[in-house]
Amino acid sequence: MKEFNRKLVFEDGNEYLGYSFGDTCDKVCEIVFNTSMVGYQEILSDPSYTYQAVVMTYPLIGNYGMTEEDYETKHPTLGAFIVGEYNDTPSNFRSTATLGKIMEQYCIPGIYGVDTRKLTRYIRDFGSRKVLITDISTSKEDGMKILEKVDIPTDAVSKVSPKESYHANTRNPKFHIAAIDCGMKQNIVRSLNQRKCAVTVVPYNTTAEYIRKLGPDGVFISNGPGDPKDVPEVIKTIRELHGEYPTFGICLGHQIICLSYGAECYKLKFGHRGGNHPVKNMQTGKIEITSQNHSYAVDSDSLKHTPLEVTHINLLDNTVEGVACEKDKVFSVQYHPESAPGPEDSGYLFDRFIKMMQEVKENA
């Protein structure tokens, strides 16, 4: 058995030993876990994981390699990957590179050989927290000192949002969407394009005035990393646009919509991340199996003082998973209907957005 060459160090002195893959840099991240059985490429390239070290509970990672078509962003910003078993010889005709090679390219460290079951239970018991991924030679004491000095940055959205607007067009579009990119997964754009929507993607700090000049049929607010209160610019923009356009928000976009109406958000102990979360649609009674990735949730009591109605509930912990304001033609969900990876139960939400814009056009 070869000797361990990497380790994780926590603020309380806990250490987990393993082997290196990907980049070999030291990094301080917020540690979280994801229960998805597939989709490590989409997780690696999801901007919502900026500054986070992701523990994959599925034991074998890397076995089908990486392919050009499946990235959710061109420049992955994941903090680190922690896996049980890493496979560096993938078997897949679509594969063009190994996971480890791509992680080297984007300076993302990885560690394998860790007891991920034990580590996940540790996160569930004590919550998401700072972790240092480092060389085995770093002493526990030095690692704890580094963790004490280094804070997780709060500029994640500004880091991953585009600096300028761009267009994602489709043939013979029927609608034009202004999409506020707070760290948007590309499958959201693809989902809108497939429904004959031309999309103008704008930076997170775009003003309401600029969006009005675009003359969109609808406004979309994307997913993204971090605390929604760290992006007051987006909250202000959405507040100023209330009632002007059909509006749809996903994940961080859901939280931003709720904050714009005066609701409050709070941080979950260890968040929701995976492709198997059951959500109940309160309007139809149906249960959807959903893809999720978020640390924050909307306070249900704070919604009572807003015009927003709760439309979806998480059946694992009763957290708010969706809201709507019929008068303003606004709705949002905490989960990811575009999946990638995950189940496809919730694609109807994009159709709901289309229908809403169509009704506005017909009544204009």
Side-chain angles (χ1 to χ4, degrees):
M1 183 176 177
K2 63 180 182 180
E3 293 185 1
F4 294 123
N5 60 7
R6 296 289 275 175
K7 68 178 178 179
L8 304 173
V9 182
F10 288 90
E11 291 173 285
D12 60 7
N14 261 297
E15 293 184 314
Y16 289 79
L17 310 185
Y19 308 102
S20 174
F21 76 103
D23 198 80
T24 56
C25 65
D26 286 9
K27 195 176 283 189
V28 173
C29 304
E30 178 188 32
I31 194 166
V32 299
F33 65 86
N34 188 299
T35 59
S36 296
M37 293 187 288
V38 295
Y40 58 78
Q41 177 169 350
E42 291 87 345
I43 292 166
L44 174 86
S45 57
D46 182 348
S48 294
Y49 287 111
T50 302
Y51 301 136
Q52 291 182 329
V54 179
V55 179
M56 297 298 294
T57 62
Y58 190 75
L60 178 61
I61 301 297
N63 55 306
Y64 55 82
M66 305 286 278
T67 184
E68 293 298 323
E69 295 86 358
D70 292 350
Y71 287 98
E72 290 301 315
T73 184
K74 293 179 181 178
H75 302 285
T77 53
L78 178 96
F81 246 151
I82 302 158
V83 306
E85 182 180 350
Y86 170 63
N87 186 318
D88 203 43
T89 54
S91 176
N92 179 0
F93 73 96
R94 296 177 67 230
S95 177
T96 56
T98 65
L99 171 60
K101 195 70 177 176
I102 296 302
M103 288 169 63
E104 283 182 41
Q105 183 179 336
Y106 293 103
C107 301
I108 300 170
I111 181 170
Y112 73 95
V114 174
D115 185 344
T116 51
R117 288 172 63 89
K118 181 181 177 182
L119 182 53
T120 299
R121 286 181 176 178
Y122 173 73
I123 299 168
R124 285 180 61 91
D125 288 343
F126 299 102
S128 299
R129 54 193 45 227
K130 285 192 291 186
V131 66
L132 170 67
I133 180 168
T134 185
D135 189 81
I136 195 71
S137 63
T138 304
S139 70
K140 179 195 299 186
E141 292 72 24
D142 286 346
M144 292 169 69
K145 286 178 183 176
I146 292 170
L147 287 167
E148 188 178 347
K149 293 177 183 177
V150 178
D151 291 323
I152 305 297
T154 58
D155 64 346
V157 169
S158 63
K159 180 178 179 179
V160 298
S161 182
K163 305 307 178 196
E164 297 179 347
S165 301
Y166 66 91
H167 301 287
N169 293 325
T170 186
R171 288 185 179 181
N172 304 315
K174 295 181 179 179
F175 303 99
H176 175 213
I177 308 297
I180 301 175
D181 186 345
C182 299
M184 183 162 56
K185 294 168 67 179
Q186 286 307 298
N187 204 45
I188 291 174
V189 177
R190 290 190 288 266
S191 297
L192 291 169
N193 283 164
Q194 288 166 5
R195 291 166 172 81
K196 296 297 181 182
C197 293
V199 181
T200 299
V201 180
V202 300
Y204 79 101
N205 54 358
T206 299
T207 64
E209 181 183 5
Y210 184 88
I211 289 175
R212 291 186 187 107
K213 287 180 180 177
L214 292 174
D217 297 303
V219 173
F220 175 82
I221 312 105
S222 83
N223 65 294
D227 186 340
K229 292 179 183 176
D230 289 336
V231 283
E233 304 94 329
V234 197
I235 299 169
K236 179 176 183 289
T237 293
I238 297 305
R239 185 181 295 122
E240 292 177 4
L241 293 174
H242 283 172
E244 294 189 32
Y245 305 98
T247 302
F248 179 25
I250 287 176
C251 201
L252 185 72
H254 159 76
Q255 297 158 10
I256 286 167
I257 283 174
C258 292
L259 288 171
S260 77
Y261 279 95
E264 294 293 332
C265 291
Y266 63 97
K267 190 170 186 179
L268 296 163
K269 184 177 181 181
F270 48 80
H272 297 158
R273 293 172 184 87
N276 53 358
H277 288 251
V279 168
K280 182 175 182 179
N281 185 323
M282 305 300 285
Q283 297 171 321
T284 65
K286 291 183 178 180
I287 310 300
E288 303 167 31
I289 303 302
T290 67
S291 175
Q292 306 215 2
N293 170 21
H294 57 100
S295 294
Y296 292 82
V298 175
D299 186 317
S300 58
D301 289 337
S302 71
L303 288 168
K304 295 173 183 176
H305 309 292
T306 75
L308 297 171
E309 172 194 0
V310 176
T311 58
H312 297 75
I313 292 290
N314 189 304
L315 293 181
L316 297 178
D317 58 9
N318 290 319
T319 51
V320 176
E321 290 280 357
V323 298
C325 176
E326 190 172 336
K327 176 178 70 74
D328 287 346
K329 294 183 168 38
V330 169
F331 73 104
S332 62
V333 290
Q334 181 64 80
Y335 52 96
H336 287 259
E338 84 289 345
S339 300
E344 299 179 355
D345 296 21
S346 309
Y348 72 91
L349 291 162
F350 289 103
D351 298 325
R352 177 180 173 184
F353 189 34
I354 302 301
K355 183 180 178 183
M356 194 177 283
M357 291 186 291
Q358 182 65 47
E359 290 173 350
V360 170
K361 271 193 170 185
E362 290 173 354
N363 296 327

